[in-house]
Amino acid sequence: MANKEIPYKIYLSEDELPRQWYNLRADMKNKPAPLLNPATFQPMTFEDLRPVFCDELVRQELDDTTPCFDIPEEIRNFYKMYRPSPLVRAYCLEKKLGTPAKIYYKFEGNNTSGSHKLNSAVAQAYYAKQQGLKGVTTETGAGQWGTALSMACAYFGLDCKVYMVKVSYEQKPFRREVMRTYGASVTPSPSTETAVGRRILEQFPGTSGSLGCAISEAVEAATTHEGYRYVLGSVLSQVMLHQSVIGLESKTAMDKYGVKPDIIIGCAGGGSNLGGLIAPFMREKLRGEADYQFIAVEPASCPSLTRGKFAYDYCDTGMVTPLAKMYTLGSGFIPSANHAGGLRYHGMSSILSQLHADGLLEARSVEQTKVFEAAEMFARVEGILPAPESSHAIRVAIDEALKCKETGEEKTILFGLTGTGYFDLYAYEKFNNGNMTDYIPTDEDIQKGLAGLPVLPE
Amino acid sequence: MANKEIPYKIYLSEDELPRQWYNLRADMKNKPAPLLNPATFQPMTFEDLRPVFCDELVRQELDDTTPCFDIPEEIRNFYKMYRPSPLVRAYCLEKKLGTPAKIYYKFEGNNTSGSHKLNSAVAQAYYAKQQGLKGVTTETGAGQWGTALSMACAYFGLDCKVYMVKVSYEQKPFRREVMRTYGASVTPSPSTETAVGRRILEQFPGTSGSLGCAISEAVEAATTHEGYRYVLGSVLSQVMLHQSVIGLESKTAMDKYGVKPDIIIGCAGGGSNLGGLIAPFMREKLRGEADYQFIAVEPASCPSLTRGKFAYDYCDTGMVTPLAKMYTLGSGFIPSANHAGGLRYHGMSSILSQLHADGLLEARSVEQTKVFEAAEMFARVEGILPAPESSHAIRVAIDEALKCKETGEEKTILFGLTGTGYFDLYAYEKFNNGNMTDYIPTDEDIQKGLAGLPVLPE
C-alpha cells in the first residue's frame, strides 16, 4: 500500500481493541529471574505476595508461561472511553527534518491521566474491586500514575491512598488537585504516617523524597490497613502485561496499512510503556519471524541500563520490597534533579533487563537540554506538547531520522509518545528562559550507589 | 439502528472531515445587524476593516449570503493533526444519572490548546500568511485562544503577540509558558506598551484587566505595527464560520448512526463554539426541515443573554472597535470573579444574539458551584477533566437528563465539551476545599453597565 494513503492518524475501531493482553515472558527463552523474598532470599511464592498484592495480580506476576490473558469486559469498557489510542504518522516532523525516514508514534496522552499509566491502573483497580477490597495504596512521582489510579478508583468506587514524592507534591500542586478531584487522598512522602517514612526522615532530614521511598511507605500502608492492597505503576511484570495493549494496537494498526517498523523506540523509567510497546514485535523477534531494532532511552542523570549493574536489588529505598534481578544503580542511589520525574527510578523492569542482557534491546542515555530541544521542535510541528519523559523517545527518534537523512535510508521509525506535558510547564519555563542544566552522575556517584547492592547467599 | 451498536466514541475518517465551512447567516431570514464604524456609525466596509483584519477574513466577516466556503488544503492538513474530533456517547454518565435520556458530547479538548479555539486560529493564521504578513496580535483571557493562536503561528512561521488579561497572566503562568514554548510573546494587559493600555491604567490603577481591555490593546498594536493584523478568537461571524466544523462533524457522525438530537447545548462566552456546534442543525430548523431545542448556557456572573440588552455596543472596553448589535451588559461592565475566564465577556456574537431575539435559541444562566459539582461528577464517570467553561454545558445537559428521568422521556441530548481543565486546577482546588463562592450581579450592577451603552444617531 502506498504511503500517501496513510492518514495522519490511524484509529482502530472499538471492535479492534485487543481482547487479550500478551505476556512476553511466555516467549522468552531466558526468563526474567524470579522475585526473591527479602527475608529468605528464596523465590517469592503466591502466599508471600498475597498480603501485598491482589490475588489475581499475584497470579499474573508469577506466570511466565501463559502467553495470553483475557481482558475482562469491564476493563475493556473502561478502555473504550479513551482507547484505541491513535497511531500517528508524523508527516510534519518528517518534513521539518527533511528526512527520508517514515516516523510514527503511538500517542497515549489523550486521557486525563495524561499518559499510558491508565492502562494498568484500571486493571489493578478492577481486580481489587473483584476481590472485595476497600481500597489500594500507591506511590507517585510526577503524578501521572497517581492520577491514573485515582481515576480508576473513582470509577470502581475504591478508596485510593497516594504517597506522592515530596518534591513533586510541592512543585506539582495541580496533579495533586486532579487526584483530589477524583477523590484520592494524597500524602507527601516521606511522611510521619508510616514507620518507614519516620525512619527515612530521621536519617535524611529535609529530604525531598524519592520514588523508592514513597514505595516503601505505600507498601507499609497497604499491609497495615485492613482491606487494602498495594499497587504499582511500573517495573512489575503484571504492569507490562497490561501495557501490552499499546503494542498490540500499534501492530494491528501498522499491519492494516502494510507497514513494518525498522526501529522501535521508547523512554524507559521502570520500563512498562516500552515493554508494552515492543511486546508483540519482540515476540516475532524471539520466534525468528521478523527482526526489529529496539531502543530504550533513559535520562543521563539516572542511567540504570547504560551504567547500572545487572544484579538482584530492592525495588524501594526502605528495602521492604522483594528483590528483583534488574539493571540497577542501587536502591540507595539518589537520582539528581531532572524534569522527567517518571524516569527517576534506580532500577528497570526484570523483563527489559533480561532482554537487554541478552542483546535484544539497546539502551541509550540522553541529556535533558537535548531532550527539551526535541520536545520544543516536536510541539511546534506536530502540535502536541509532550511530557519530558516521552521527549526522551522523541530525541532518539529525531536522531535516528537525521541519520537516515545522511545515509538516505528510508527507515520506518515507531516511537511511544507516552504522555503530555501540561503539568510540566515549570520545566518548559526553565527551558524557555535558557536556565536548564544537565547533570550526569560521576563514576564515583555510580559506584557509591552500587556499593549498596545486597549480597545474596551463594 | 439499535443504540447498543453505537460505540463509546464515534471517529469519522479523515476523508469525512468537512471540505467546506458553513455560513449560518446565509440561511437566516433576519440577518445579524452589520458592524458599525465607531466614528461615523455607518456599516463597516471592506476598506474600513482592512487595516485591522486580513483581507480574506474581512470578506468572510462581511459575507452573509454565501452559504459555504471551501476549507483550504493546508488548513485541512492542519486539522488532520487533531480532527475529526470524537463524538462521544456518555454511557457512563447516563448510567450514573439513571436517566432514560441518551447523552452525546462532541469533545474538542484533545489538542494542546485544550479547546475548540484551534479551529479558527489555524484559519486566521493561514490567511495572514497568505497575505504575506509578518505577524498577528490578539488578546487572551483564560489563555486557550492565545495558546491556539501561538500553535497556529508556529506552524505557519508567523510572529504572534498576545495581550493576556493580567489576572490570568499571573494566575495561569502555565498557559503563558505553553504560548512561549510555541514562540509567542506574551504581555500582561493592561500594559504600558499601548496608548489605550496606559489610559486604562491611569483611569483604573491596579486593575486586573479584562478581555475587552486586552482587545483594545491588541487592536492598537496591530494597527501601529507594519505587517501585522489583529485576530479575534470569538464573537465575530468569521470565527463562527470556522467553528462550523464542530457542528458539521457532529451531524455527519450522528447521521451515520441514524441519531437525531432533541436538545443541543453549549456554553456561550463570545458564542463561537455554540454557534459552530448548532450551525448545521439550525440550518435545518431555519429551513423547516427539522426541529431542535437549542440552549446557550452562560455564567450567572456574566449574563449577557439572560439579563443584557439587545443593542449596539462596542466590542471592547477602550471603545476603539466597531460597534456590534448584540446582547450586551455594556462594554464597561466588569464581570465578577468567575473561574470560567473564557465566559467573562460583556457581549455575545451578533449571530447568536439575533437567533435569541428571534426565539430560535434559548438561554440559561448557572452558578459556578453548581457547575463544578457537574464537572466533578462528569470527570469521575466519563474520565475527562472538563474546563470550567465547558462544564456550564455539562450542568445543563445533566439537568435536562434528570428531567427526562422524572418524565420518563428518552430524549437525545447533544452538548459541546469544548475543552479540558488541566490549566484550571486552582479553581478545582478551591472547589475541592469547599471554598468556592457564587456571585450574581445585582440589578443595579446590570443597570450601571447598560447605562454606558452608546447612543446612536437616529
Side-chain angles (χ1 to χ4, degrees):
Chain A
M1 190 175 288
N3 276 335
K4 67 177 190 296
E5 294 177 44
I6 293 173
Y8 280 65
K9 301 176 304 306
I10 304 175
Y11 274 108
L12 300 176
S13 73
E14 282 168 18
D15 286 342
E16 293 170 301
L17 192 67
R19 291 177 187 280
Q20 297 187 311
W21 292 301
Y22 165 61
N23 183 11
L24 182 55
R25 289 169 293 172
D27 284 293
M28 288 170 70
K29 211 166 68 181
N30 296 330
K31 305 282 184 196
L35 294 172
L36 297 187
N37 186 314
T40 64
F41 296 109
Q42 293 302 306
M44 292 293 281
T45 63
F46 182 77
E47 289 304 326
D48 285 339
L49 286 167
R50 282 189 75 184
V52 181
F53 298 113
C54 305
D55 292 356
E56 180 56 29
L57 293 168
V58 174
R59 275 180 213 110
Q60 294 179 358
E61 190 63 33
L62 295 176
D63 188 336
D64 60 8
T65 55
T66 306
C68 294
F69 286 79
D70 287 342
I71 304 176
E73 197 57 28
E74 280 195 67
I75 296 177
R76 281 190 93 236
N77 284 342
F78 189 98
Y79 278 169
K80 286 177 188 172
M81 290 202 289
Y82 70 102
R83 306 200 68 84
S85 70
L87 179 74
V88 186
R89 174 75 185 269
Y91 282 118
C92 300
L93 181 60
E94 291 171 16
K95 193 176 152 195
K96 173 79 180 174
L97 297 172
T99 177
K102 284 149 191 56
I103 309 175
Y104 293 80
Y105 55 92
K106 179 70 168 170
F107 181 41
E108 293 288 320
N110 268 352
N111 69 73
T112 292
S113 82
S115 81
H116 65 290
K117 296 285 185 182
L118 197 51
N119 301 330
S120 184
V122 59
Q124 298 194 45
Y126 169 80
Y127 291 120
K129 187 70 183 178
Q130 286 298 102
Q131 199 174 319
L133 297 175
K134 276 190 223 162
V136 292
T137 71
T138 198
E139 77 294 330
T140 199
Q144 293 175 331
W145 167 247
T147 306
L149 189 67
S150 58
M151 288 172 68
C153 286
Y155 186 83
F156 290 116
L158 280 171
D159 185 41
C160 181
K161 292 185 196 298
V162 180
Y163 291 84
M164 187 171 188
V165 177
K166 191 180 277 174
V167 60
S168 299
Y169 183 90
E170 286 161 2
Q171 285 182 2
K172 304 201 171 183
F174 286 2
R175 286 269 193 212
R176 181 186 74 211
E177 291 307 321
V178 180
M179 291 185 254
R180 290 183 68 211
T181 298
Y182 282 94
S185 75
V186 188
T187 306
S189 165
S191 78
T192 54
E193 279 184 17
T194 64
V196 64
R198 289 188 293 270
R199 202 179 75 215
I200 291 167
L201 280 171
E202 210 169 290
Q203 272 186 291
F204 308 97
T207 175
S208 58
S210 72
L211 263 185
C213 161
I215 293 174
S216 304
E217 289 207 81
V219 171
E220 181 183 322
T223 49
T224 53
H225 286 80
E226 180 74 24
Y228 281 77
R229 290 293 185 283
Y230 168 69
V231 296
L232 180 63
S234 190
V235 183
L236 294 175
S237 300
Q238 60 186 268
V239 182
M240 266 196 51
L241 175 70
H242 308 146
Q243 295 296 359
S244 67
V245 71
I246 304 172
L248 292 165
E249 284 183 11
S250 301
K251 189 152 193 321
T252 303
M254 292 191 121
D255 285 349
K256 259 179 113 160
Y257 286 86
V259 176
K260 185 187 162 297
D262 298 295
I263 311 176
I264 303 175
I265 301 165
C267 63
S272 71
N273 103 77
L274 177 62
L277 174 66
I278 68 175
F281 301 97
M282 185 62 86
R283 170 169 50 184
E284 293 188 339
K285 182 159 177 159
L286 290 167
R287 291 177 175 181
E289 296 164 1
D291 196 20
Y292 304 96
Q293 183 183 6
F294 299 102
I295 307 175
V297 190
E298 57 186 17
S301 62
C302 193
S304 56
L305 281 173
T306 50
R307 297 177 70 192
K309 199 171 157 184
F310 189 39
Y312 266 107
D313 194 9
Y314 295 96
C315 297
D316 65 329
T317 311
M319 305 196 234
V320 302
T321 60
L323 289 89
K325 190 172 178 197
M326 57 184 177
Y327 281 89
T328 177
L329 296 160
S331 66
F333 179 82
I334 304 288
S336 66
N338 182 296
H339 291 288
L343 305 182
R344 295 175 77 229
Y345 182 67
H346 67 275
M348 181 59 62
S349 115
S350 291
I351 297 176
L352 293 191
S353 292
Q354 188 63 50
L355 293 170
H356 182 55
D358 291 343
L360 293 159
L361 168 69
E362 295 173 33
R364 296 211 193 140
S365 76
V366 288
E367 295 170 27
Q368 70 175 348
T369 50
K370 298 282 177 203
V371 165
F372 274 82
E373 283 168 18
E376 183 189 86
M377 179 198 284
F378 182 83
R380 291 186 180 185
V381 297
E382 289 288 321
I384 297 169
L385 188 80
E389 291 84 357
S390 325
S391 304
H392 286 68
I394 298 174
R395 173 74 268 166
V396 172
I398 289 176
D399 290 345
E400 290 297 317
L402 290 175
K403 274 188 213 164
C404 289
K405 188 178 179 177
E406 274 180 33
T407 62
E409 287 175 290
E410 295 187 20
K411 286 188 180 172
T412 296
I413 298 169
L414 166 64
F415 72 89
L417 187 70
T418 52
T420 50
Y422 305 141
F423 293 92
D424 301 287
L425 271 307
Y426 282 127
Y428 276 97
E429 182 175 19
K430 215 161 188 178
F431 179 74
N432 292 338
N433 291 337
N435 296 332
M436 184 168 279
T437 50
D438 293 316
Y439 175 81
I440 304 174
T442 61
D443 286 341
E444 200 182 297
D445 294 332
I446 298 286
Q447 286 314 316
K448 203 171 142 192
L450 295 177
L453 287 179
V455 181
L456 270 62
E458 295 275 314
Chain B
M1 190 176 287
N3 276 336
K4 68 177 190 296
E5 294 178 45
I6 292 174
Y8 280 65
K9 300 176 305 304
I10 305 174
Y11 275 109
L12 300 176
S13 73
E14 282 169 17
D15 287 343
E16 293 170 301
L17 191 66
R19 292 178 187 280
Q20 297 187 311
W21 292 302
Y22 165 61
N23 182 11
L24 182 55
R25 289 168 294 172
D27 283 294
M28 289 170 69
K29 210 167 65 181
N30 296 329
K31 305 282 184 196
L35 295 171
L36 298 187
N37 186 315
T40 63
F41 295 108
Q42 293 301 306
M44 293 292 281
T45 63
F46 182 76
E47 290 304 325
D48 285 340
L49 287 166
R50 284 189 74 186
V52 179
F53 298 114
C54 306
D55 292 357
E56 180 57 28
L57 293 167
V58 175
R59 275 180 214 110
Q60 295 180 359
E61 189 63 33
L62 295 176
D63 188 336
D64 60 8
T65 55
T66 306
C68 294
F69 286 78
D70 286 344
I71 304 177
E73 197 58 28
E74 279 195 67
I75 296 177
R76 281 190 92 236
N77 283 343
F78 189 98
Y79 278 169
K80 286 178 188 170
M81 290 201 290
Y82 70 102
R83 306 199 69 83
S85 71
L87 179 75
V88 187
R89 173 75 185 269
Y91 283 118
C92 301
L93 181 61
E94 291 170 16
K95 194 175 153 198
K96 173 80 182 173
L97 297 172
T99 177
K102 283 149 192 57
I103 309 175
Y104 292 82
Y105 55 92
K106 179 71 167 169
F107 181 41
E108 293 288 319
N110 267 352
N111 69 73
T112 292
S113 82
S115 82
H116 65 291
K117 296 284 186 183
L118 198 51
N119 302 330
S120 184
V122 58
Q124 298 194 47
Y126 169 80
Y127 291 120
K129 187 69 183 178
Q130 286 298 103
Q131 199 174 318
L133 297 175
K134 275 189 223 162
V136 292
T137 72
T138 199
E139 76 293 333
T140 198
Q144 292 175 331
W145 167 247
T147 306
L149 188 68
S150 59
M151 289 172 69
C153 286
Y155 186 82
F156 290 116
L158 279 171
D159 185 42
C160 181
K161 291 185 197 298
V162 180
Y163 291 85
M164 185 170 189
V165 177
K166 192 181 275 174
V167 60
S168 299
Y169 183 92
E170 287 162 1
Q171 284 182 3
K172 303 201 172 183
F174 286 2
R175 286 269 193 211
R176 182 185 75 211
E177 292 306 322
V178 181
M179 291 185 253
R180 290 183 69 210
T181 299
Y182 282 94
S185 75
V186 188
T187 307
S189 167
S191 78
T192 54
E193 278 184 17
T194 64
V196 65
R198 289 188 294 270
R199 202 178 75 214
I200 291 168
L201 280 171
E202 211 170 289
Q203 272 187 292
F204 308 97
T207 175
S208 58
S210 72
L211 262 188
C213 161
I215 293 174
S216 304
E217 289 206 83
V219 171
E220 180 182 321
T223 49
T224 53
H225 286 80
E226 180 74 26
Y228 281 77
R229 289 294 185 283
Y230 168 68
V231 296
L232 180 64
S234 190
V235 184
L236 295 175
S237 300
Q238 59 185 268
V239 182
M240 267 196 49
L241 174 71
H242 308 145
Q243 295 296 359
S244 67
V245 70
I246 303 172
L248 292 165
E249 284 183 12
S250 301
K251 188 151 194 322
T252 302
M254 292 191 121
D255 285 349
K256 260 179 110 159
Y257 285 87
V259 175
K260 186 187 160 297
D262 298 295
I263 311 176
I264 303 175
I265 300 164
C267 62
S272 71
N273 102 77
L274 177 62
L277 175 66
I278 68 175
F281 300 98
M282 185 62 86
R283 170 170 52 184
E284 292 188 339
K285 182 159 176 158
L286 290 168
R287 292 179 175 179
E289 296 165 2
D291 196 22
Y292 304 97
Q293 182 183 8
F294 299 102
I295 307 175
V297 190
E298 56 185 18
S301 62
C302 192
S304 55
L305 281 173
T306 50
R307 297 177 69 194
K309 198 172 159 184
F310 189 39
Y312 266 107
D313 193 10
Y314 295 97
C315 297
D316 66 329
T317 310
M319 304 197 237
V320 302
T321 59
L323 290 89
K325 190 172 177 196
M326 56 184 178
Y327 281 88
T328 177
L329 297 160
S331 66
F333 179 82
I334 303 289
S336 67
N338 182 296
H339 291 289
L343 305 183
R344 295 175 76 229
Y345 183 66
H346 68 274
M348 182 58 63
S349 118
S350 291
I351 297 176
L352 292 191
S353 292
Q354 188 62 50
L355 293 170
H356 183 54
D358 291 343
L360 293 159
L361 169 68
E362 294 174 31
R364 298 211 191 138
S365 76
V366 288
E367 294 170 29
Q368 71 175 346
T369 49
K370 298 282 175 205
V371 165
F372 274 83
E373 282 168 19
E376 183 189 87
M377 180 198 283
F378 183 83
R380 290 187 182 185
V381 297
E382 288 289 320
I384 296 169
L385 188 80
E389 291 83 357
S390 325
S391 303
H392 285 67
I394 297 174
R395 174 73 268 168
V396 171
I398 288 176
D399 291 345
E400 291 296 318
L402 289 175
K403 274 188 215 165
C404 289
K405 188 178 178 176
E406 274 180 32
T407 62
E409 286 174 290
E410 295 187 21
K411 286 189 180 173
T412 297
I413 298 168
L414 166 64
F415 73 89
L417 187 70
T418 53
T420 49
Y422 305 140
F423 292 92
D424 301 287
L425 270 307
Y426 282 127
Y428 276 97
E429 181 175 19
K430 213 160 187 177
F431 179 74
N432 292 337
N433 291 337
N435 295 331
M436 184 168 279
T437 50
D438 292 315
Y439 174 81
I440 304 174
T442 62
D443 286 341
E444 200 181 299
D445 295 331
I446 299 286
Q447 286 313 318
K448 203 170 142 192
L450 294 178
L453 286 180
V455 181
L456 269 64
E458 293 276 315

